[in-house]
Amino acid sequence: MTMAFLRGLLYMSLFFPLTFLVAGTALVCSLPDPRRYGAFARFWGRMGLALAGIRVAVNGTERLPAGPVIVMSNHQSNFDILALQGHFPRRLSWIAKEELFRIPVFGPSMRRGGYIPLDRGHGRKALKSIDEAAQQIRNGASVIIFPEGTRTRDGRLLPFKRGGFMLAARAGVPVVPVTLVGSFGVNPGGTCKLYPFRQVEIRIGKPIAVPQGMRRSEAEEFLMARVHDAIAKEIG
């Protein structure tokens, strides 16, 4: 058993209780005003990073357009969510699999925070779920999606899943490609190994809008190709 593995186990023994404590506190304290939830979410992200001594640098803030956006990011480790939640310059809601919303305390807290459940199955139920999420985005929610669908196991960018781009085409808001650099070195995907006291960089790319007049299927292909190219270029 390596030292990195032991560090990861110790980290999780502290982080999971912290997560449920913050989720429960946020749920109760935001009852008078749901806007309070964002401060707790940012605190959670920053505390999770601080436990591992991780620093975060953000570049490209000036590229963010006004209004709701869909952020598409690569996914290298468990620390990606913490970095984006704690340091992204705009409050983000999360597109998360529906099963997570069934977890006691954690699930109701996510709903309170405006996070959006997405049915990842097939057929009409999945399409209805995407349409409902698109409506929330049009109503003003900015969201984050990991289009790879899972964490990379070797640091390379994985093929993209189509679901996020179906949502983007329906929502009709700009897509902002974001590249996370350094998080794989902190916690390689697929392991609980932890290499602390490092830096993660959030690189915000230029927003991508769908050209007028495109059919949805064409818009999905267009966005998928452009976002993939933007992130792959930054990863190198």
Side-chain angles (χ1 to χ4, degrees):
M1 191 175 294
T2 66
M3 183 59 69
F5 184 80
L6 289 174
R7 281 196 298 262
L9 290 180
L10 176 60
Y11 178 86
M12 288 189 290
S13 72
L14 297 171
F15 177 70
F16 287 136
L18 171 69
T19 296
F20 277 88
L21 176 62
V22 174
T25 304
L27 179 61
V28 173
C29 292
S30 63
L31 288 176
D33 184 356
R35 291 174 296 182
R36 294 180 182 176
Y37 193 94
F40 288 94
R42 186 167 291 268
F43 170 80
W44 171 78
R46 294 191 174 192
M47 280 298 298
L49 294 164
L51 283 175
I54 305 303
R55 306 180 307 277
V56 177
V58 183
N59 292 305
T61 301
E62 71 281 356
R63 293 173 177 157
L64 278 174
V69 297
I70 295 178
V71 173
M72 297 270 194
S73 172
N74 60 319
H75 199 6
Q76 295 191 330
S77 82
N78 290 316
F79 284 83
D80 298 339
I81 293 173
L82 296 175
L84 290 165
Q85 189 73 78
H87 291 274
F88 198 81
R90 181 176 297 181
R91 180 180 173 180
L92 297 172
S93 295
W94 292 83
I95 300 288
K97 57 185 179 181
E98 196 174 34
E99 296 90 325
L100 292 177
F101 290 81
R102 301 172 192 161
I103 300 174
V105 180
F106 189 66
S109 183
M110 290 174 68
R111 289 187 185 278
R112 187 66 183 170
Y115 300 168
I116 302 171
L118 194 63
D119 189 313
R120 299 195 302 178
H122 300 284
R124 292 183 179 179
K125 191 175 181 181
L127 289 175
K128 181 181 178 183
S129 179
I130 289 174
D131 285 335
E132 289 173 352
Q135 184 59 51
Q136 290 189 52
I137 295 167
R138 287 193 293 269
N139 289 341
S142 290
V143 303
I144 172 74
I145 296 173
F146 295 120
E148 294 165 281
T150 188
R151 289 164 291 160
T152 177
R153 296 299 189 265
D154 59 7
R156 299 178 183 177
L157 193 62
L158 298 172
F160 285 175
K161 307 290 186 183
R162 196 176 191 89
F165 298 97
M166 292 174 64
L167 173 60
R170 283 166 168 74
V173 301
V175 176
V176 177
V178 166
T179 307
L180 291 164
V181 179
S183 65
F184 186 79
V186 173
N187 168 230
T191 76
C192 69
K193 294 179 180 179
L194 175 62
Y195 300 92
F197 307 111
R198 301 193 180 195
Q199 178 169 291
V200 174
E201 185 180 357
I202 300 173
R203 298 178 181 173
I204 302 172
K206 295 180 180 179
I208 302 168
V210 179
Q212 294 293 323
M214 270 193 180
R215 293 180 299 178
R216 278 184 181 171
S217 59
E218 293 174 336
E220 292 163 16
E221 294 289 346
F222 172 84
L223 290 171
M224 189 181 296
R226 292 287 299 277
V227 171
H228 190 280
D229 288 348
I231 294 175
K233 182 180 179 181
E234 290 294 328
I235 292 175

